[in-house]
Amino acid sequence: MARAALQLIDLCRHYREGDARLDILAGASLTLYPGETVALIAPSGAGKSTLLHVAGLLERPDAGEVLIDGQPTSRMNDDLRTRLRRNSIGFVYQFHHLLPEFSALENVVLPQTIAGYSRKEAAARAHELLSYLGLGARCSHRPGELSGGEQQRVAIARAVANAPAVLLADEPTGNLDPRTADHVFATLLALAHGSGLAAVVATHNLELAAQLNRRVTLRDGQLIELD
């Protein structure tokens, strides 16, 4: 069997609110293999964003382990975590967060040059990705000249530009109309399956969630398989 792209093992995460302790994650575990897609379905406030932040090495858990492509991360220093996050994890959010002064192509080139790719390599990869996502003719357009769906597809291209092992998406179609959401979701899934990318997608949209390989929810701080 292939090595897991992402493993979450007994994750715990709590916060303090005055004298009260809020346990957001309480032994959450999940294993995800290359090319596998998982929908994370849970009500607001259940801890979806916290789980994605911990899985994406943006927050440290209070206990438990996150393995990215087989590498345990709990004992890594911040520099190593940043490097691993940059090279092995892609993020897509509800709002695209594109840099408005740069073109679609430049927004996808930037993370690659930060990772050490030459400008020529990065531009070729960016053009390939944008063309795959149906945006080949829009490469020179700035975000303000693109529709909401086009902006989000650029954000997806940016997220996978460094060929990460894992894609974490937090309500990636939550700001789009239903028809555009369907199209963006379809391109995201095609990209995941075509490139062997493991993806966790937090969504409230049950119809979209049904298209993924598995569905999980957060209940009392633990990840529970649905279906």
Side-chain angles (χ1 to χ4, degrees):
M1 182 177 284
R3 182 169 63 188
L6 173 67
Q7 281 183 282
L8 311 178
I9 302 173
D10 294 331
L11 293 181
C12 295
R13 187 75 174 103
H14 67 266
Y15 302 100
R16 288 284 178 184
E17 193 172 89
D19 294 331
R21 169 172 152 158
L22 302 177
D23 289 302
I24 307 300
L25 304 177
S29 297
L30 179 71
T31 299
L32 197 59
Y33 291 94
E36 190 176 20
T37 56
V38 173
L40 175 58
I41 309 164
S44 297
K48 297 190 300 296
S49 294
T50 296
L51 180 77
L52 293 178
H53 287 171
V54 172
L57 310 184
L58 294 170
E59 291 184 39
R60 290 184 182 270
D62 297 304
E65 182 64 272
V66 177
L67 290 92
I68 304 294
D69 207 16
Q71 298 183 67
T73 62
S74 62
R75 297 187 179 182
M76 286 184 176
N77 62 31
D78 288 343
D79 287 345
L80 288 175
R81 286 167 63 88
T82 298
R83 189 178 310 150
L84 183 60
R85 183 169 62 246
R86 180 192 303 141
N87 295 329
S88 298
I89 305 172
F91 297 91
V92 181
Y93 299 100
Q94 181 173 347
F95 301 100
H96 55 77
H97 298 302
L98 298 173
L99 297 174
E101 66 272 27
F102 293 112
S103 69
L105 187 80
E106 290 166 336
N107 267 280
V108 182
V109 164
L110 190 59
Q112 298 180 76
T113 55
I114 292 172
Y117 290 94
S118 71
R119 173 80 187 187
K120 183 178 180 180
E121 288 176 305
R125 167 77 170 158
H127 193 274
E128 179 185 0
L129 279 169
L130 291 169
S131 296
Y132 180 82
L133 294 174
L135 296 171
R138 310 289 275 168
C139 287
S140 63
H141 289 66
R142 294 183 179 181
E145 301 170 312
L146 302 174
S147 70
E150 288 171 336
Q151 291 171 344
Q152 198 66 322
R153 278 183 280 157
V154 174
I156 291 170
R158 179 185 59 187
V160 302
N162 288 340
V166 177
L167 179 69
L168 302 174
D170 195 353
E171 297 287 351
T173 61
N175 202 36
L176 304 174
D177 65 81
R179 184 175 179 180
T180 303
D182 287 344
H183 185 55
V184 169
F185 211 80
T187 57
L188 189 155
L189 292 185
L191 195 58
H193 293 312
S195 62
L197 188 67
V200 180
V201 182
T203 181
H204 284 104
N205 190 318
L206 298 181
E207 290 184 8
L208 296 181
Q211 299 175 38
L212 277 68
N213 300 129
R214 293 158 56 198
R215 283 147 295 282
V216 299
T217 191
L218 271 167
R219 191 175 300 152
D220 297 326
Q222 297 189 355
L223 282 166
I224 308 296
E225 293 273 350
L226 297 173
D227 298 339

